[in-house]
Amino acid sequence: MSRPDRAAVRRGVLLFGLYVLAVVVALVQSAVLIAITGGPWRQVLTALPDGSVRNPGRWGGTLAEAAPLLIVALGAIVSTRAGLVNIGQEGQLAVGAVAEGQVDEGE
């Protein structure tokens, strides 16, 4: 097996660090906004993992909520790689869900 290129490893570590930084910044901004409005920011930040992954059975609910967003993201990646600009992914998903509901009612 060949060893990975140092530049590729460095790029991967940098991207991972940027993702972690983005999540941390989002959580800090949320805590600041909650504190400004007088809410209990510590309780909110502990309720976030409790409601999404810590409590029994929440992994499935979290994945069920995330699946449509991941499908939309995959569609955006494919269209971007193909050189197309597509700015209506969420609307397309909503219209598809409504159409599926109408088809399902007809059966």
Side-chain angles (χ1 to χ4, degrees):
M1 285 183 62
S2 64
R3 293 178 55 179
D5 184 20
R6 283 187 99 118
V9 171
R10 187 175 301 141
R11 190 173 356 151
V13 170
L14 177 65
L15 283 174
F16 180 76
L18 286 174
Y19 284 124
V20 170
L21 179 66
V23 169
V24 169
V25 167
L27 289 174
V28 168
Q29 287 177 341
S30 299
V32 168
L33 287 173
I34 293 166
I36 288 172
T37 60
W41 64 272
R42 285 189 179 107
Q43 290 177 355
V44 171
L45 291 182
T46 57
L48 184 66
D50 286 344
S52 60
V53 292
R54 276 193 207 151
N55 289 341
R58 288 309 307 156
W59 274 102
T62 299
L63 292 176
E65 293 287 331
L69 297 174
L70 294 174
I71 292 169
V72 168
L74 182 62
I77 290 169
V78 169
S79 66
T80 302
R81 291 283 175 122
L84 303 171
V85 177
N86 188 357
I87 59 172
Q89 294 95 354
E90 292 87 358
Q92 291 170 0
L93 181 70
V95 169
V98 169
E100 189 277 331
Q102 292 298 320
V103 169
D104 191 42
E105 275 186 14
E107 291 181 6

